Amino acid sequence: MTAHDQPTASVPLDLPGWRHAYSGKVRDLYVPQDQDQDQNTDAAADLATAARVLVVASDRVSAFDHVLEPGIPGKGELLTTLSLWWFDQLAGIPNHLLPDHTVNGAVTSLIPAAVAGRAMLCKTLDMFPIECVVRGYLTGSGWKEYQTARTVCGIPLPAGLQNGDRLPEPIYTPAWKAPMGEHDENISFERTVELVGASVAAELRRLSLEIFGRASGIAEKAGVILADTKFEFGADRVTGVITLADEVLTSDSSRYWDASLWQSGTTPEQRMASFDKQIVRDWLAAHWDQTGTPPELPAEIIEQTAARYLELLERLTHAASAA
């Protein structure tokens, strides 16, 4: 099985030396398999004690808190490559990769062949139940809220902004991470303090805004706008250091626009100029009322999304190589 023909359903793979512990909407986690381990023990519970975890990105695609069918061929490999590239760019930000795990690093050779190219070998963390969202532009649900309340996630903004406008400065709008099948919930910064404590909440906000600022500058050099994104963090189980985890700055976790097509009053998404899964969201919103089972994605939507994901990866990496 290659990176381009894995099933879209959460079917555990038979990976030598690993056993399946957990599946999310689009990623699957595997923990080391001890040869003397009781096969009947709870693999998911092993995440609490395992020193490392294999994070495998599937070709599954999710929108509106549902996993859709069919998947997008090659998506897992594209997003893993982009995440690894961004981790390389973010020097000084602790991340969950094992040492020397870069796009072409030595650790990559330890990943099973069946998931080569779409898996990351990581240390386990105590994850915080917060999605750390940063918005640099007014769009999506933020634009809808602004039209009625002149706020985004309760944060007041100046009057007179238009759909797609750049915000005076990026804003931090955290969300509570809901279990699969439930809706994530926007929460106030004060609520994050209640969930993780004042010092951790402040550091999550600081790190999120710093990473967003650095990434925005890199993207701009490639002619790309990073409109918004979300990060996830956990605490290192040995040092307690707050550590960047999961995917980072991918087309699944971010809105990316073609800078040459951006203009105030309309988002690039409306001109097919986004490099993310907005194509999927827009098609689904037009063909599904969010009740019952979502319809299958048509072939042209899958092809368009895959092409935009690939174009973003090439733009970012080629621009960096040429710098």
Side-chain angles (χ1 to χ4, degrees):
M1 180 176 292
T2 70
H4 297 284
D5 62 9
Q6 76 261 27
T8 57
S10 301
V11 178
L13 301 174
D14 184 11
L15 302 178
W18 299 88
R19 67 171 180 161
H20 177 259
Y22 173 80
S23 287
K25 295 185 185 77
V26 297
R27 275 172 296 282
D28 306 304
L29 305 183
Y30 294 79
V31 293
Q33 175 64 65
D34 188 328
Q35 291 184 351
D36 299 325
Q37 199 170 46
D38 183 352
Q39 296 294 321
N40 295 319
T41 59
D42 185 358
D46 291 342
L47 283 172
T49 57
R52 59 183 179 176
V53 61
L54 189 69
V55 180
V56 179
S58 73
D59 286 353
R60 300 190 297 272
V61 60
S62 69
F64 302 120
D65 298 309
H66 284 75
V67 176
L68 310 176
E69 293 286 350
I72 298 174
K75 170 178 173 283
E77 187 169 343
L78 285 171
L79 297 192
T80 298
T81 302
L82 186 56
S83 277
L84 289 172
W85 183 83
W86 273 118
F87 282 128
D88 285 351
Q89 311 311 304
L90 298 171
I93 302 294
N95 67 62
H96 68 164
L97 298 177
L98 289 187
D100 299 323
H101 191 340
T102 59
V103 174
N104 298 308
V107 171
T108 306
S109 64
L110 302 178
I111 294 174
V115 293
R118 61 185 180 96
M120 296 184 290
L121 196 55
C122 308
K123 55 187 174 183
T124 50
L125 306 170
D126 290 326
M127 297 299 294
F128 300 114
I130 307 294
E131 286 197 337
C132 298
V133 181
V134 181
R135 305 168 190 259
Y137 286 73
L138 184 60
T139 189
S141 61
W143 167 241
K144 292 179 181 178
E145 180 183 332
Y146 178 83
Q147 290 177 283
T148 59
R150 217 177 77 186
T151 62
V152 172
C153 296
I155 298 174
L157 292 175
L161 296 177
Q162 300 296 312
N163 188 19
D165 273 1
R166 186 170 187 164
L167 297 176
E169 60 182 11
I171 58 174
Y172 177 68
T173 59
W176 172 72
K177 287 172 54 177
M180 188 164 60
E182 297 183 25
H183 294 286
D184 293 339
E185 176 187 344
N186 291 331
I187 58 176
S188 65
F189 178 75
E190 290 72 24
R191 177 58 178 146
T192 68
V193 171
E194 295 175 0
L195 290 169
V196 299
S199 61
V200 170
E203 184 65 0
L204 293 177
R205 178 173 60 185
R206 186 194 69 78
L207 282 170
S208 298
L209 290 169
E210 177 185 340
I211 296 169
F212 183 86
R214 290 173 60 176
S216 295
I218 293 171
E220 286 175 6
K221 293 177 182 177
V224 174
I225 290 172
L226 175 61
D228 57 45
T229 193
K230 63 181 178 181
F231 305 112
E232 295 190 31
F233 296 89
D236 187 296
R237 290 176 175 172
V238 177
T239 65
V241 171
I242 295 176
T243 302
L244 182 61
D246 202 58
E247 63 180 330
V248 61
L249 295 160
T250 70
S251 305
D252 265 17
S253 64
S254 316
R255 277 190 176 92
Y256 283 104
W257 298 338
D258 188 330
S260 67
L261 298 177
W262 172 83
Q263 65 186 48
S264 179
T266 179
T267 66
E269 296 156 356
Q270 295 169 302
R271 297 184 297 281
M272 294 297 287
S274 62
F275 300 105
D276 48 54
K277 64 179 178 181
Q278 192 63 38
I279 299 169
V280 171
R281 294 191 195 98
D282 288 346
W283 183 88
L284 202 58
H287 295 84
W288 183 50
D289 63 1
Q290 297 192 39
T291 61
T293 303
E296 288 196 0
L297 299 174
E300 61 268 23
I301 295 299
I302 294 171
E303 293 169 3
Q304 289 171 11
T305 304
R308 300 304 278 175
Y309 278 29
L310 177 59
E311 184 177 350
L312 174 67
L313 176 64
E314 291 178 341
R315 280 204 186 196
L316 290 171
T317 57
H318 288 178
S321 299

